[in-house]
């Protein structure tokens, strides 16, 4: 159950009418439901409450300080992929001992900062990175807790741009090299081996892919044991899919299947477990609210041109993502629909939010809600065409708060500096 339903003819976010919000917040803006985030986090933790599990929310899905504060209060840890994300997690009150640091290329400065914070674990993705962390840790008198991220060479059955666990992806240490890299780790001075890690992709609904990857890690753990290398935790990464279209499996069903696979293997695992869900926690907790500027029929189709664009929500352009779109005012049951492309004002033909979509007939000035925009939305927005980053609003029951204002044009332009020789 998500917290966006029609009530008295208007779409609500929890107890607030979106139409009312549009009179106070200029469109486009992101709008998140605090209780939706809490509910998703709770469902995920409940699924593993009988196991020694730590949930490290993957910040890259949505790293707004207010969102992180909600999760910190629920007891979440964090999975970060940059110093910026690490700083965001700490600032929101997520303790360092619940933070894991992933990513294929952490810089020296990032490693030094993370060592100084004494984070739970570095998820290491290459032998050279392992050396680098060892050198930096030794030099500063630290010892770095590490996991090796293993690339199990499984096909997660997801979009090519969000698949990360195949041998031709840049991520992780090839399965066949893993033993040698663990042996290297065991002999390096600044390194403490803590765990083993995987992350095979995102928006995974072919749950059997997790099964194959976990099986691969388990046999590796057994092999390591024979070499007297002990693993204290296994990190399953993130990647659990969510419901975007009416044809997709329900999130509850996906979570149940996923949990069944983890439980199936749990008996063979006498170690702690880490999960790194991102999308599952926030994707369906957010809407992008936008206004129709023009409706433009051309020879072969009709364009609904809205005030949000690919710079605000790049997922359709980047990943062929499908986002449900609802009018903010509830259409009559017998309202006529028409096939349209929903596009933004950016000067790119790739600037679309939906193509060949059946939408009830809309007019300029009407408001639309783009669903499933809580993950990989605001975080990947940019200022292309000198468009301002858009605001983010949080609703919690009958309260709302502007959790990130849209910067002014002056702010945007003031980032540039003109050399005095011009
Ligand atoms: C992106 C990412 C996640 C989160 O993935 P979701 O599909 O959003 O759950 C977790 N771990 C790592 C290492 C990632 O890169």
């Amino acid at each position: 159950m998500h917290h966006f339903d029609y009530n008295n003819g208007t779409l609500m976010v929890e107890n607030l009418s979106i139409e009312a919000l549009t009179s106070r917040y200029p469109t486009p803006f992101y709008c998140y439901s605090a209780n939706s985030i809490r509910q998703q986090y709770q469902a995920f933790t409940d699924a593993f409450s009988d196991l020694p599990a730590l949930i490290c929310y993957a910040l890259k899905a949505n790293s707004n300080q207010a969102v992180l504060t909600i999760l910190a209060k629920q007891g979440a840890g964090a999975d970060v992929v940059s110093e910026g994300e690490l700083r965001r997690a700490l600032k929101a009150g997520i303790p360092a001992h619940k933070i894991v640091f992933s990513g294929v290329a952490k810089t020296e400065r990032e490693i030094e900062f993370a060592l100084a914070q004494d984070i739970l674990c570095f998820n290491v993705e290459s032998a050279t990175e392992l050396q680098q962390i060892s050198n930096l840790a030794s030099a500063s008198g630290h010892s770095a807790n590490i996991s090796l991220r293993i690339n199990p060479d499984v096909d997660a059955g997801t979009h090519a741009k969000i698949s990360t666990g195949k041998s031709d992806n840049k991520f992780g240490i090839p399965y066949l090299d893993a033993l040698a890299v663990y042996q290297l780790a065991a002999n390096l001075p600044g390194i403490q081996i803590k765990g083993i890690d995987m992350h095979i992709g995102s928006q995974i609904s072919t749950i059997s892919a997790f099964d194959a990857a976990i099986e691969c890690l388990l046999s590796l753990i057994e092999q390591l044991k024979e070499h007297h290398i002990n693993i204290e935790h296994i990190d399953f990464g993130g990647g659990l899919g969510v419901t975007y279209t009416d044809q997709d499996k329900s999130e509850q069903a996906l979570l149940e299947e996923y949990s069944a696979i983890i439980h199936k293997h749990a008996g063979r695992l006498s170690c702690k477990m880490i999960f790194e869900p991102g999308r599952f926690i926030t994707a369906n907790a957010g809407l992008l609210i936008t206004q129709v500027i023009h409706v433009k029929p051309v020879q072969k189709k009709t364009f609904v041109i809205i005030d949000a664009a690919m710079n605000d929500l790049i997922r359709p352009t980047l990943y062929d993502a499908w986002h449900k779109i609802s009018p903010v005012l509830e259409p009559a049951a017998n309202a006529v629909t028409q096939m349209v492309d929903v596009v933004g004002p950016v000067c790119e033909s790739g600037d679309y939010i939906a193509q060949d979509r059946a939408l009830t007939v809309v007019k300029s000035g009407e408001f639309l809600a783009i669903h499933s925009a809580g993950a990989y939305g605001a975080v990947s927005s940019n200022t292309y065409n000198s468009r301002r980053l858009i605001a983010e609003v949080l609703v919690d029951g009958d309260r709302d708060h502007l959790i990130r204002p849209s910067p002014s044009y002056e702010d945007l332009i003031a980032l540039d500096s003109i050399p005095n020789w011009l």
Side-chain angles (χ1 to χ4, degrees):
M1 215 283 282
H2 288 285
H3 295 76
F4 309 106
D5 290 310
Y6 288 111
N7 186 7
N8 281 328
T10 164
L11 193 64
M12 308 289 287
V13 180
E14 302 203 16
N15 301 335
L16 298 185
S17 133
I18 294 175
E19 206 201 5
L21 290 175
T22 59
S23 67
R24 288 191 292 123
Y25 300 111
T27 57
F29 62 91
Y30 280 101
C31 183
Y32 310 126
S33 152
N35 282 306
S36 222
I37 296 170
R38 291 189 188 107
Q39 172 193 286
Q40 289 302 101
Y41 178 80
Q42 198 55 47
F44 200 95
T45 32
D46 287 352
F48 305 105
S49 57
D50 57 332
L51 298 175
L54 173 65
I55 315 299
C56 291
Y57 168 68
L59 255 71
K60 78 177 195 283
N62 185 326
S63 55
N64 188 288
Q65 287 293 291
V67 170
L68 297 184
T69 300
I70 293 171
L71 293 168
K73 289 196 169 170
Q74 305 279 105
D79 168 50
V80 303
V81 294
S82 69
E83 180 178 338
E85 286 192 352
L86 177 50
R87 287 178 182 273
R88 279 184 177 275
L90 293 167
K91 182 99 185 177
I94 298 176
H97 67 85
K98 288 185 182 175
I99 300 178
V100 298
F101 194 161
S102 303
V104 284
K106 304 161 190 80
T107 64
E108 269 190 20
R109 170 196 159 125
E110 289 180 317
I111 294 166
E112 281 166 351
F113 181 71
L115 283 169
Q117 305 303 316
D118 201 14
I119 61 165
L120 173 59
C121 196
F122 289 89
N123 290 338
V124 176
E125 304 215 15
S126 62
T128 50
E129 186 189 13
L130 190 63
Q131 285 280 1
Q132 180 192 27
I133 294 176
S134 172
N135 293 344
L136 293 168
S138 306
S140 60
H142 289 96
S143 172
N145 295 333
I146 66 100
S147 280
L148 296 187
R149 173 167 173 183
I150 307 303
N151 185 323
D153 193 16
V154 298
D155 185 350
T158 186
H159 192 277
K161 284 188 176 145
I162 50 174
S163 170
T164 60
K166 290 203 289 194
S167 59
D168 54 358
N169 296 132
K170 71 178 174 183
F171 298 98
I173 293 165
Y175 173 63
L176 292 173
D177 300 344
L179 177 60
V181 183
Y182 268 107
Q183 286 174 320
L184 170 68
N187 289 312
L188 285 174
I191 297 292
Q192 280 288 331
I193 297 174
K194 287 288 174 189
I196 192 163
D197 170 44
M198 62 183 242
H199 173 71
I200 57 172
S202 199
Q203 183 53 16
I204 299 172
S205 57
T206 313
I207 303 294
S208 56
F210 289 108
D211 202 8
I214 295 169
E215 193 59 56
C216 164
L217 263 61
L218 283 177
S219 68
L220 199 52
I221 292 175
E222 278 154 20
Q223 212 183 331
L224 290 170
K225 232 179 242 161
E226 289 165 19
H227 290 80
H228 309 291
I229 294 172
N230 272 320
I231 295 300
E232 291 173 31
H233 76 241
I234 180 166
D235 183 334
F236 297 108
L240 185 59
V242 301
T243 309
Y244 286 103
T245 78
D246 293 340
Q247 286 84 51
D248 289 346
K249 275 189 202 160
S250 78
E251 286 171 15
Q252 195 53 40
L254 288 171
L255 181 59
E256 278 167 22
E257 274 184 57
Y258 181 62
S259 168
I261 283 174
I262 301 293
H263 280 87
K264 182 181 94 177
H265 294 291
R268 265 169 82 194
L269 281 167
S270 52
C271 64
K272 291 184 206 150
M273 300 176 188
I274 294 176
F275 295 90
E276 301 171 352
R279 188 188 307 271
F280 191 85
I281 308 298
T282 50
N284 278 313
L287 302 176
L288 171 52
I289 309 300
T290 177
Q291 188 171 31
V292 177
I293 305 177
H294 298 294
V295 177
K296 179 175 174 176
V298 295
Q299 203 174 11
K300 287 199 173 137
K301 53 169 75 177
T302 295
F303 292 102
V304 172
I305 309 177
I306 57 177
D307 61 3
M310 64 183 284
N311 70 299
D312 305 310
L313 179 66
I314 202 169
R315 298 190 66 259
T317 307
L318 191 59
Y319 310 127
D320 307 313
W322 193 96
H323 287 265
K324 178 176 162 183
I325 300 175
S326 310
V328 165
L329 294 183
E330 186 172 20
N334 60 355
V336 178
T337 62
Q338 100 189 108
M339 293 300 280
V340 297
D341 280 12
V342 179
V343 303
V346 161
C347 301
E348 295 282 345
S349 294
D351 176 26
Y352 53 82
I353 300 294
Q355 290 179 305
D356 300 318
R357 180 68 58 89
L359 203 64
T360 51
V361 174
V362 291
K363 294 194 296 292
S364 79
E366 281 184 40
F367 294 104
L368 300 174
I370 299 163
H371 293 254
S372 312
Y376 305 108
V379 283
S380 57
S381 59
N382 61 72
T383 59
Y384 186 37
N385 281 204
S386 283
R387 290 164 56 83
R388 302 180 300 162
L389 292 181
I390 65 176
E392 294 172 85
V393 174
L394 181 73
V395 172
D396 190 357
D398 46 20
R399 289 182 291 198
D400 64 277
H401 185 80
L402 180 61
I403 59 173
R404 184 157 81 182
S406 184
S408 68
Y409 287 114
E410 289 71 26
D411 293 340
L412 182 63
I413 296 168
L415 291 171
D416 301 353
S417 169
I418 304 169
N420 60 9
W421 67 80
L422 285 183

